[in-house]
Amino acid sequence: MRISQHPILDQKTGREVSFTFDGQPLVGREGEMVSSALFANGIRTFSRHKVDNAPQGIFCANGQCAQCTVLIDGLPMKSCITPLREGMDIRTLVHYPTLPPDDELRPSRRPPELSCQVLVVGAGPSGITAAIELADAGYSVILVDDKDHLGGKLVLQTHKFFGSMADCYAGTRGTDIAKILEEEARKRENITIMTDSVVVGVFADGKAGIYQPQEERYLLLSFAGVIVATGARERSLVFPGNDLPGVFGAGAFQTLVNRDLVKSSERVLIVGCGNVGLIAAYHALQAGIDVVALIDIAPKVSGYKVHGDKIKRMGVPIYLSHTLVSVQGEGKVEKATIAQVDESWNPLLSTAKTFAVDTVLIAVGLSSVDEFYSAGLEAGFPVLKTGDANEIAEASSAMIGGRITGREMARRLGSTIDIPEEWFAKAEILKSPPGEVFPRTHTWPPEDGWQPVIHCYEEIPCNPCTTVCPHNSIQLTGRTGTIMDLPEFSGKCIGCGLCVLICPGLAITLVRESEEAGLAEVVLPYEFDHNFQPGDQVILRDVEGSDLGRGTVLRTRFNKKHRTHLLTLQVQADIATKVAGILVQDPAVTQPLPEADFTYLPDNAIVCRCERITVGQIKEFVRENEVTDLNQLKLLRTAMGACGGKTCLDLLPRVLMEAGVKKEEIRPATYRPLTVEIPMKALANQGGDKA
Amino acid sequence: MKNYDVVIVGAGSVGLPLAHRLAARGVRVGVVDELSSPGQGQNKAAIGGIRATHSDRAKIQIGIASLEFVRRLEEDYGEDVDWVQGGYLFPAYDQQIAENLKALLPIQKGYGLNIDWIGPEEVREIVPGIRAEGLLGGTFSPEDGHLSSLKLGGALYRLARRAGAEFHFETKVTGMEIVGGRVTAVLTDKGKFGCGTVVNAAGAFGREVGQMVGADLPVYPDSHEAGVTEPIQPLFNPMLVDIAPDEHSDNYYFYQAKEGAIVFCITPRPKRMGTDRRSTSEFLPMVIPRMLNLYPRLRNIRVRRVWRGLYPMTPDGVPIVGFDRDVEGFFHAVGMCGQGLMLGPGLAEIAAEAIVDGTEPEIFADLSPYRDFSGEELLK
């Protein structure tokens, strides 16, 4: 189950290797993550929890949680960060592992010590740009990332970026921006790049501990200052069935699908209509995965309107003011039930709808990963945070934010380098949430030949259409005087289609009158593989997905640079300016099952995934012991598992409030290093078995 | 103003069991602590060993009483604190250390401790995979054991509350009200708590609280770091204590908890004085090679988390327990030297009797705040 054809992404290369899973011979690609090799072979249960023997599936696919742990050659390892090698003996981890009786005494070594002026933790968009600024200001930088590549989550972003072309490569796909940034970083001699390296702690004595799993090595790194660019982790959600294999984060989904080209699912339901959820839906469709619905408990789409509109046009229903009642299945996700919510956000079970799905994606927001920042403040050395670690926003703003932070750190370390005022202004705008929505009227017919129709109604920080027009005929106009303003066309259009190709929202079409009276031609962007032939019929959709009848394909052309097709359709002239897209997904897949499942047992939802602690257990304990300090929940082993509370600590305050605790009385849990588990042999630098 | 018979300063390893014992005897007990919930100071930082294996009368006898209490916790009170009676094992690879350990046996046995020397074969049977080369044997005290400090703290808190003790968290003690040479109230940032008796169970801050009544207690905290691994299937039961020093550290010790994790701790040399509880980069490179040298099989286990806790030390390594000589009604129970968890339950019994009945057991002479502190502990 691999994605053998993708409209945007190139096929993976890599030698085929054989391995076994629970004794069964399988084939994977050398160097891909073991989790992806297992998914590609249809395996979605990786371990059995000691509580209830419950099956565990992948959850974060990012090395943060430990849900994907399997036994590899007898040792428990996170499959999502372990590259596949020929001959691996991979097994389901059942409960706790047994330590192999390896009793040979080996020499231990002290960790090698490195030093630099600035340690940048995290090589995503903000970390790289910060490192570049520091290097250009003359500082020696060590840029550390736990993945085997640079770019952070940019490598998952197959879509074109918003923002401005001048500041953040707007109109370019995230995957391509990652390559550009990496090249820039590698050009600089005073940046030392360490990939496959996990910063596990920033300690009080001014040193960071770095674990290199591939070499089974542990290093200590001294520095004058630290920039924390560790990004964000996905928030989770508490609902019955949230522990079933097949419930995972939208980021995990993008990792499997976009980074590893593994078809993780056949049919997904997505919870959360922010940009992450909306984009995940789009990525699913591009990967040939059905999306039965997007839901959000809020009454409105919180992501960009252009993203939401795009999804709706393609045939994905969006259910607002809806919540997930439960996910059901025997050992894996088989069904998901949603229902509308009342004013107190409780489900109205009479409105329940149940869908047959194999995957539920959680896209309910991100929270900053900034533990090292707090550790740095506590230890008293210069520390700054940037990108999502500082504030959750788009990658476009992370790039300019990283540059500012890089220079701020240089100044903290004594440099007098200037930080241009306009950088701050740009950063501010790029992280703006969507502004107001304005109506538009589209003129018809065009004065002379082609004319763009801009289906962009909401203020968002984006302007590439204004930059590419060879006749400078698209300008931003509006109330803010920034790139939040809406683009307007006036002047000459030669029908080149550059604005159509570059628009990240797929919100621009070209229209002209046909020679035949009463008909018109419309040019649409199309980011799917297709085999349309002239004369084929397509179902036309207006901007928000209402049906406009049928149109006929006249011709198609493919723009290689933008990896986007331009479809020229013939439509009725009276709807020419209304056509914004075509239906992509068969409406039949979005139909609920005839019988809804009305079971609702919210106390059964899992809060702490590592230790399988339920809402019910926590509420009972909270009431019995009058708990207000989250540390007390450690008595239940909450947050004591492998991940160290990365998922549950975010969820706990709400559970406490449901149990009657006042918000202002709740005290946070103490954070302790390490960020990930490290084998003792690596801490003792015993040389590595693999070397 | 709230009024109690006894106000305990500190809801930690000593304050919690004492609150329980006092309340169970019908005493009106109030406990004040500046942290947000019970056991959040050094109590939860304790790795969980409970032993009577010491080298002096007072600690051996208190230890035996503590063991008696935790052994019965489940049966008497229905509280599961992950108690495992796995014993304490001090292995020896060095002739001198073997001699030193053996020399303590008569003293230890004399105070009623169940302990003996066992040969290398028996050590290897109890700890499968321990380094065989050079192993001379060790002392083994099968009635010692380990438990979850977190769970013991939680259980004692529940029991104390059930018995009627009242707790006041996020309440910082600012002074004592003394009238006519007698303590009458504890002053805090949340108001005054009137009482007949005050117990100083402030742990690492016992010296500061003592100073509020003019007592100058020699309690100076140093700190140790500790860590915990992922849980694995059962491998060994006892607490292993290697007392052979190396270049940068004195002893280190570790055990496998009931739930499967290995919990470990080391005594750095020189000592790190003060109340800094932030983890350092030195700890893991210091302790892990030593553990792997003793127990090579642990190389594949993964370390999960580290922390640092304070050892409120006294000059002779023995706690300070007893009534203040100058201020009537003020009872000190501090200076547990990093052993509050294992001494607390036993001490609570004795201290409760002293406070309620005015008893003065023999060992109070060894624990007196006014004793000669020049002695040195043989087994640290």
Side-chain angles (χ1 to χ4, degrees):
Chain A
M1 275 174 278
R2 292 186 189 270
I3 298 163
S4 50
Q5 254 198 323
H6 194 282
I8 309 299
L9 296 164
D10 294 327
Q11 285 302 305
K12 296 268 167 185
T13 51
R15 184 165 83 92
E16 283 202 341
V17 291
S18 33
F19 66 99
T20 59
F21 184 72
D22 289 340
Q24 182 196 350
L26 298 172
V27 173
R29 216 166 259 138
E30 184 170 47
E32 73 178 336
M33 295 309 141
V34 165
S35 53
S36 290
L38 292 174
F39 256 87
N41 282 283
I43 292 155
R44 307 218 297 181
T45 296
F46 294 176
S47 66
R48 294 256 164 201
H49 201 281
K50 75 174 167 73
V51 177
D52 307 330
N53 200 34
Q56 309 270 292
I58 206 161
F59 186 64
C60 82
N62 194 27
Q64 296 285 303
C65 78
Q67 302 266 278
C68 68
T69 303
V70 290
L71 277 182
I72 300 180
D73 298 331
L75 297 175
M77 298 180 120
K78 291 178 185 175
S79 60
C80 77
I81 50 167
T82 306
L84 184 70
R85 305 266 172 255
E86 173 77 46
M88 274 181 167
D89 172 12
I90 303 172
R91 290 176 188 276
T92 308
L93 172 63
V94 180
H95 310 174
Y96 292 153
T98 300
L99 222 47
D102 173 359
D103 295 334
E104 190 194 325
L105 184 67
R106 294 170 178 82
S108 300
R109 287 171 204 86
R110 262 200 67 79
E113 301 223 14
L114 305 174
S115 74
C116 63
Q117 285 170 296
V118 183
L119 165 63
V120 178
V121 190
S126 65
I128 299 179
T129 50
I132 289 171
E133 287 299 326
L134 278 160
D136 289 349
Y139 290 87
S140 73
V141 178
I142 293 188
L143 177 60
V144 182
D145 200 279
D146 61 345
K147 302 297 182 301
D148 62 358
H149 56 263
L150 301 192
K153 298 291 168 275
L154 285 173
V155 305
L156 311 183
Q157 311 303 339
T158 56
H159 54 277
K160 295 166 194 162
F161 265 51
F162 293 83
S164 78
M165 291 173 80
D167 303 318
C168 57
Y169 312 100
T172 306
R173 297 181 194 280
T175 43
D176 296 325
I177 298 173
K179 288 175 203 152
I180 297 168
L181 291 181
E182 170 160 6
E183 205 173 294
E184 284 298 313
R186 290 202 188 274
K187 267 190 215 159
R188 288 162 171 80
E189 276 176 11
N190 47 352
I191 300 181
T192 304
I193 293 170
M194 291 169 63
T195 49
D196 281 318
S197 301
V198 192
V199 176
V200 296
V202 171
F203 296 104
D205 46 347
K207 287 179 189 174
I210 297 177
Y211 167 44
Q212 297 182 317
Q214 302 314 319
E215 281 82 30
E216 295 183 348
R217 189 157 59 154
Y218 184 64
L219 311 166
L220 291 177
L221 176 64
S222 315
F223 48 79
V226 176
I227 290 183
V228 179
T230 39
R233 57 178 69 101
E234 299 191 82
R235 287 220 170 107
S236 187
L237 201 57
V238 174
F239 56 86
N242 61 350
D243 57 309
L244 281 173
V247 174
F248 43 85
F253 176 75
Q254 290 173 322
T255 302
L256 290 164
V257 170
N258 293 348
R259 189 194 68 188
D260 297 347
L261 284 165
V262 165
K263 195 172 180 188
S264 67
S265 319
E266 294 296 328
R267 288 158 68 84
V268 304
L269 177 108
I270 301 175
V271 185
C273 291
N275 279 342
V276 175
L278 297 169
I279 292 170
Y282 189 52
H283 291 167
L285 295 175
Q286 285 182 318
I289 295 167
D290 294 338
V291 183
V292 302
L294 271 111
I295 70 164
D296 203 301
I297 199 160
K300 126 179 223 308
V301 169
S302 60
Y304 292 167
K305 179 171 161 55
V306 282
H307 276 319
D309 289 349
K310 181 166 87 180
I311 296 305
K312 288 192 267 186
R313 291 199 286 273
M314 289 168 186
V316 179
I318 293 183
Y319 294 90
L320 297 172
S321 300
H322 272 68
T323 191
L324 196 55
V325 174
S326 68
V327 172
Q328 307 102 16
E330 275 304 311
K332 60 180 189 207
V333 173
E334 289 168 351
K335 291 188 288 183
T337 301
I338 65 169
Q340 208 175 323
V341 291
D342 62 18
E343 324 66 81
S344 340
W345 294 9
N346 291 314
L348 297 160
L349 290 178
S350 59
T351 67
K353 288 184 178 66
T354 300
F355 297 93
V357 291
D358 62 2
T359 302
V360 172
L361 298 184
I362 309 300
V364 293
L366 303 170
S367 45
S368 297
V369 176
D370 60 358
E371 289 87 358
F372 296 146
Y373 179 71
S374 317
L377 288 183
E378 203 185 72
F381 46 71
V383 60
L384 295 170
K385 53 183 177 175
T386 188
D388 275 353
N390 182 43
E391 186 182 355
I392 305 299
E394 294 297 312
S396 49
S397 85
M399 283 183 263
I400 185 99
R403 297 179 68 187
I404 294 171
T405 310
R407 289 205 176 182
E408 275 175 352
M409 179 54 77
R411 293 176 65 91
R412 288 281 291 276
L413 298 178
S415 162
T416 54
I417 195 164
D418 174 52
I419 308 175
E421 271 307 310
E422 76 254 26
W423 288 12
F424 292 99
K426 278 177 187 165
E428 230 15 74
I429 289 164
L430 287 172
K431 68 185 178 203
S432 306
E436 285 187 38
V437 175
F438 294 95
R440 277 177 187 276
T441 47
H442 303 296
T443 49
W444 181 264
E447 280 171 18
D448 178 25
W450 291 105
Q451 167 195 294
V453 179
I454 302 174
H455 296 281
C456 174
Y457 302 89
E458 182 187 54
E459 293 171 332
I460 52 169
C462 187
N463 75 353
C465 55
T466 64
T467 322
V468 291
C469 179
H471 286 273
N472 221 6
S473 301
I474 302 178
Q475 301 294 334
L476 294 185
T477 55
R479 58 188 189 116
T480 74
T482 70
I483 63 166
M484 291 290 283
D485 285 341
L486 296 178
E488 295 291 347
F489 167 78
S490 76
K492 189 174 167 63
C493 175
I494 56 166
C496 66
L498 284 176
C499 56
V500 180
L501 288 166
I502 198 107
C503 175
L506 306 189
I508 303 180
T509 65
L510 294 181
V511 293
R512 75 172 175 192
E513 289 183 290
S514 290
E515 282 167 17
E516 208 173 321
L519 293 177
E521 287 179 26
V522 182
V523 178
L524 298 176
Y526 194 72
E527 292 185 308
F528 294 88
D529 288 326
H530 70 83
N531 47 13
F532 289 132
Q533 300 300 322
D536 284 357
Q537 296 280 296
V538 292
I539 295 171
L540 306 171
R541 312 280 271 182
D542 80 357
V543 64
E544 289 188 352
S546 296
D547 221 313
L548 291 173
R550 281 167 191 272
T552 309
V553 175
L554 291 177
R555 59 191 168 273
T556 71
R557 63 191 154 108
F558 181 62
N559 182 291
K560 213 170 162 191
K561 183 180 167 213
H562 293 282
R563 298 194 188 208
T564 303
H565 299 274
L566 291 176
L567 306 184
T568 307
L569 308 176
Q570 188 167 62
V571 307
Q572 296 296 318
D574 56 343
I575 57 162
T577 59
K578 292 202 178 88
V579 174
I582 61 171
L583 184 69
V584 172
Q585 178 173 266
D586 180 355
V589 308
T590 65
Q591 291 304 304
L593 294 169
E595 300 275 322
D597 188 321
F598 297 104
T599 324
Y600 181 48
L601 299 164
D603 277 0
N604 290 354
I606 299 279
V607 181
C608 168
R609 304 180 69 92
C610 293
E611 300 289 332
R612 286 187 69 78
I613 317 286
T614 65
V615 171
Q617 281 171 286
I618 291 172
K619 281 186 181 168
E620 190 190 329
F621 187 80
V622 165
R623 289 191 190 113
E624 255 174 34
N625 294 277
E626 290 179 31
V627 170
T628 53
D629 181 352
L630 296 185
N631 283 308
Q632 287 173 277
L633 294 173
K634 292 179 182 172
L635 282 163
L636 290 174
R637 291 201 57 75
T638 312
M640 297 280 276
C643 88
K646 291 187 185 105
T647 304
C648 65
L649 288 179
D650 246 13
L651 302 170
L652 284 171
R654 229 188 102 202
V655 180
L656 258 66
M657 285 191 273
E658 278 175 24
V661 183
K662 291 195 197 100
K663 190 176 183 182
E664 63 272 17
E665 289 176 350
I666 299 173
R667 297 290 174 270
T670 315
Y671 171 77
R672 299 279 179 222
L674 311 167
T675 48
V676 299
E677 297 170 320
I678 314 177
M680 285 193 179
K681 62 186 171 190
L683 286 166
N685 286 290
Q686 289 195 335
D689 299 335
K690 295 169 198 159
Chain B
M1 184 174 85
K2 273 250 171 198
N3 280 299
Y4 295 102
D5 297 329
V6 179
V7 170
I8 300 172
V9 180
S13 299
V14 173
L16 288 168
L18 184 55
H20 169 230
R21 291 323 297 157
L22 287 169
R25 297 188 52 157
V27 175
R28 290 179 305 147
V29 184
V31 184
V32 293
D33 195 299
E34 68 174 302
L35 300 175
S36 298
S37 64
Q40 294 302 314
Q42 316 317 314
N43 176 254
K44 68 172 182 182
I47 73 164
I50 308 279
R51 62 170 155 131
T53 303
H54 301 279
S55 54
D56 64 280
R57 175 177 68 171
K59 288 210 300 196
I60 292 174
Q61 290 184 358
I62 295 170
I64 289 172
S66 286
L67 284 164
E68 186 60 25
F69 178 80
V70 299
R71 215 175 278 139
R72 289 199 331 256
L73 248 180
E74 184 142 24
E75 203 179 306
D76 291 2
Y77 300 103
E79 292 285 353
D80 176 6
V81 295
D82 288 353
W83 166 247
V84 175
Q85 190 170 310
Y88 260 61
L89 201 162
F90 288 64
Y93 290 84
D94 173 288
Q95 207 61 51
Q96 187 58 52
I97 282 173
E99 294 312 319
N100 292 350
L101 288 169
K102 283 178 184 169
L104 288 173
L105 290 174
I107 308 171
Q108 292 168 323
K109 286 179 180 177
Y111 294 125
L113 183 66
N114 176 3
I115 186 167
D116 229 322
W117 182 262
I118 57 173
E121 286 312 310
E122 206 174 330
V123 171
R124 290 172 61 193
E125 219 166 276
I126 297 171
V127 189
I130 193 168
R131 178 157 61 89
E133 186 201 337
L135 178 62
L136 302 173
T139 61
F140 184 56
S141 48
E143 288 173 33
D144 294 335
H146 48 78
L147 48 72
S148 155
S149 56
L150 206 62
K151 286 192 176 171
L152 181 60
L156 289 168
Y157 174 61
R158 249 190 314 270
L159 294 177
R161 290 211 324 155
R162 214 175 287 156
E166 291 180 9
F167 286 79
H168 303 274
F169 293 109
E170 300 186 0
T171 303
K172 190 173 168 57
V173 174
T174 54
M176 299 293 154
E177 183 184 78
I178 299 162
V179 179
R182 192 179 168 85
V183 67
T184 52
V186 173
L187 308 173
T188 77
D189 61 351
K190 301 271 168 72
K192 195 155 123 177
F193 295 89
C195 57
T197 306
V198 173
V199 179
N200 173 10
F205 305 95
R207 180 178 162 82
E208 284 79 352
V209 172
Q211 279 166 346
M212 293 174 183
V213 294
D216 186 26
L217 308 175
V219 178
Y220 299 98
D222 65 18
S223 62
H224 294 211
E225 291 183 73
V228 62
T229 68
E230 65 182 319
I232 54 164
Q233 294 293 337
L235 181 60
F236 64 104
N237 279 321
M239 172 79 78
L240 293 175
V241 187
D242 182 1
I243 60 168
D246 87 343
E247 205 183 331
H248 301 290
S249 54
D250 290 323
N251 64 5
Y252 65 97
Y253 34 98
F254 59 96
Y255 73 98
Q256 182 175 22
K258 189 177 184 183
E259 139 291 327
I262 301 213
V263 196
F264 51 96
C265 186
I266 194 164
T267 307
R269 198 178 62 245
K271 285 186 192 314
R272 298 199 192 129
M273 304 306 294
T275 54
D276 192 345
R277 291 193 58 187
R278 301 168 304 169
S279 290
T280 73
S281 71
E282 278 307 302
F283 170 57
L284 291 170
M286 184 188 288
V287 70
I288 302 299
R290 294 200 67 185
M291 287 173 73
L292 296 187
N293 190 43
L294 179 73
Y295 207 161
R297 191 181 294 194
L298 299 182
R299 66 193 306 272
N300 282 309
I301 202 169
R302 293 176 296 177
V303 175
R304 181 172 281 182
R305 251 178 295 292
V306 296
W307 65 92
R308 184 170 171 189
L310 305 180
Y311 278 46
M313 297 305 292
T314 62
D316 59 2
V318 175
I320 295 172
V321 181
F323 276 105
D324 192 88
R325 221 159 32 187
D326 305 314
V327 175
E328 213 183 320
F330 198 93
F331 191 86
H332 299 287
V334 295
M336 297 295 139
C337 304
Q339 295 164 340
L341 184 83
M342 62 175 87
L343 297 171
L347 187 61
E349 194 64 55
I350 302 161
E353 266 179 40
I355 290 164
V356 180
D357 308 327
T359 54
E360 211 171 305
E362 260 181 56
I363 56 164
F364 267 30
D366 307 352
L367 303 171
S368 165
Y370 308 101
R371 67 179 182 264
D372 171 9
F373 282 98
S374 64
E376 200 183 331
E377 203 185 10
L378 296 171
L379 182 67
K380 289 179 182 169

